Amino acid sequence: MIYEVSFECGNKVGGIHTVISTKAPFVKKYFPYTAIGFHNEKQAKKEFVEKTPPAHLKNVFLELEKEDIICKYGKWVDPDVDIILIDSNNWKAKNINNLKKMHWEKYSIDSLGAGDDYDTPVAWAHCAGKLLEKIIVSTDIVHAHEWLSGAAVLYLKGKVPTVFTTHATVVGRAASSSIDIANAVKSRSLDADKMAKDYGVNAKHNMEKAIAKTADVFTTVSQITADEAEVILGRRPDVVTPNALNFENVPDLPSIRVEYEKYREELNEFIRAYFTPYYPLNPSLAPIIFTAGRHEFKNKGYDIFIDSLAELNKRLKNNTVVAFLFIPSKHNGPNAEVLDNIVTYQRVKEMMDTSWEKVKEKII
């Protein structure tokens, strides 16, 4: 049995959710498979269908419930795999300080000033370790993703084979918006421990280092990240497992063309409504390009995208390109002026369409 442990199993936060949910059906073809995730009630309503647990799990769940660890068994809807979600909030409230003390004494993880963004995943992952300890057999493997699930690896040390995958180091993520991490890694000119303190991610960094050194197998997703992990975490990954694309559900070209025509017209309507009050624009002739990702200006390359648009603007001269940046972030709701423009555009369009029908009848 492979137990895949991630804070994002059944709890969509970012890209790791996509990586695991698309990978899981393929793993299930070759190995017995169960995902272990964090119980986020809001997300669980979208992603999780609770079912009656098998007898052996039901007994374990009852034992853990006595420790304030609540486990729910069911199906992770999109990848259609078995999943156990763990609610560790009550356990955390009573035990987090003792857990952090133990991590300090055993692994020198300094988490004294860490907040709930550290405490919640660490408590959850520790509880995942306690669950796995009760259900694993010697042939099982536990695969944990990112520092958030790493406390399970620490808890299970010597009890079952463990794999730890980092998709990007904590320090690398934190520093990427202000320095060129790749060049700093190449020159080995960075002090990762000092940077972790400077960027306020000391506890997460120390946790990540401890997991990387403790796991039986350490992996990452690219050679660049492997170089970064070696310098920042002090261990070279044993294996690089690149993220892949699943083309099985990609529609054929004729279907794509039909969908393109449909949605392109919807985009054209929006573009007309958005720009018409300010610029004369025919969107039907304008290429549309876009970028999407987390709100990390340099880490996700938005700075390069915007600079490229400036260069494109110089080269195209009188031609038009429409660019979208899809970046989820805090906001105060839709822009009222844009909504007003869209409503006005739709009213004018309806009026013109109606008028044209009447004029056309007279002409004919």
Side-chain angles (χ1 to χ4, degrees):
M1 173 75 76
I2 292 179
Y3 291 99
E4 190 137 38
V5 186
S6 172
F7 202 71
E8 295 205 35
C9 286
N11 175 39
K12 185 173 184 178
V13 178
I16 295 169
H17 177 279
T18 302
V19 171
I20 298 174
S21 63
T22 53
K23 182 189 81 170
F26 290 90
V27 178
K28 190 176 73 169
K29 291 179 181 179
Y30 302 99
F31 305 98
Y33 179 93
T34 298
I36 309 290
F38 174 77
H39 183 258
N40 175 334
E41 188 171 354
K42 183 177 179 181
Q43 281 300 122
K45 289 178 180 177
K46 303 175 186 177
E47 299 192 47
F48 175 68
V49 176
E50 188 169 7
K51 296 190 174 184
T52 303
H56 72 286
L57 286 180
K58 188 172 184 180
N59 293 334
V60 170
F61 288 2
L62 290 172
E63 289 178 31
L64 291 172
E65 191 173 349
K66 295 174 183 176
E67 300 181 48
D68 290 316
I69 301 170
I70 308 302
C71 300
K72 297 178 182 291
Y73 171 83
K75 284 285 182 184
W76 188 3
V77 175
D78 190 20
D80 189 28
V81 295
D82 293 341
I83 188 170
I84 300 172
L85 297 181
I86 301 173
D87 180 345
S88 54
N89 286 330
N90 290 336
W91 187 94
K92 179 187 73 171
K94 297 176 182 178
N95 299 285
I96 188 62
N97 289 333
N98 287 333
L99 176 60
K100 291 162 81 171
K101 177 175 179 287
M102 185 266 285
H103 284 163
W104 165 251
E105 292 172 345
K106 290 188 69 173
Y107 301 102
S108 300
I109 298 172
D110 178 7
S111 58
L112 189 63
D116 195 59
D117 60 331
Y118 175 86
D119 292 353
T120 293
V122 168
W124 162 78
H126 183 81
C127 292
K130 292 172 76 70
L131 164 68
L132 288 163
E133 180 185 36
K134 293 179 180 294
I135 62 177
I136 55 177
V137 298
S138 59
T139 55
D140 293 339
I141 295 173
V142 173
H143 185 182
H145 292 261
E146 294 288 89
W147 71 268
L148 299 94
S149 60
V153 173
L154 302 184
Y155 184 86
L156 294 168
K157 181 181 179 180
K159 299 173 183 177
V160 65
T162 56
V163 179
F164 172 59
T165 297
T166 182
H167 297 255
T169 65
V170 169
V171 168
R173 289 181 190 274
S176 61
S177 61
S178 55
I179 69 169
D180 187 335
I181 281 289
N183 281 333
V185 167
K186 189 174 181 180
S187 64
R188 295 180 178 263
S189 61
L190 54 79
D191 182 341
D193 293 343
K194 181 180 182 302
M195 289 172 66
K197 291 178 182 177
D198 292 343
Y199 285 100
V201 293
N202 189 49
K204 297 173 184 177
H205 168 63
N206 285 327
M207 170 62 76
E208 189 176 46
K209 276 208 307 184
I211 308 157
K213 293 175 180 178
T214 300
D216 295 303
V217 177
F218 177 35
T219 84
T220 190
V221 296
S222 71
Q223 292 295 341
I224 292 174
T225 314
D227 295 340
E228 180 183 315
E230 183 178 15
V231 173
I232 291 176
L233 303 179
R235 179 180 176 183
R236 182 78 186 176
D238 303 293
V239 183
V240 171
T241 55
N243 294 329
L245 294 173
N246 175 14
F247 289 100
E248 284 192 355
N249 297 322
V250 176
D252 57 35
L253 194 58
S255 300
I256 291 175
R257 189 66 191 175
V258 170
E259 292 294 295
Y260 168 82
E261 296 292 344
K262 173 185 174 183
Y263 291 112
R264 177 60 199 244
E265 185 52 36
E266 289 186 16
L267 278 171
N268 289 346
E269 289 288 280
F270 172 79
I271 292 166
R272 288 189 190 99
Y274 188 94
F275 287 106
T276 296
Y278 317 107
Y279 305 101
L281 178 65
N282 183 359
S284 300
L285 303 177
I288 297 175
I289 57 177
F290 70 91
T291 185
R294 283 195 309 276
H295 192 184
E296 297 177 15
F297 187 68
K298 289 189 175 180
N299 195 20
K300 293 301 180 184
Y302 305 132
D303 54 337
I304 297 172
F305 184 77
I306 292 169
D307 289 343
S308 299
L309 291 176
E311 182 62 29
L312 189 62
N313 198 46
K314 292 178 186 175
R315 296 187 186 187
L316 290 177
K317 296 182 179 179
N318 295 324
N319 294 321
T320 298
V321 171
V322 178
F324 288 94
L325 288 84
F326 298 114
I327 306 168
S329 186
K330 292 182 179 179
H331 59 82
N332 296 319
N335 185 304
E337 185 178 358
V338 172
L339 291 178
D340 186 56
N341 289 346
I342 291 172
V343 170
T344 301
Y345 170 82
Q346 289 174 340
R347 286 175 179 170
V348 171
K349 183 175 181 296
E350 288 171 4
M351 182 179 67
M352 294 299 294
D353 288 344
T354 303
S355 300
W356 168 242
E357 289 299 321
K358 293 179 179 178
V359 171
K360 186 170 68 173
E361 287 177 9
K362 291 182 179 179
I363 293 174
I364 294 172

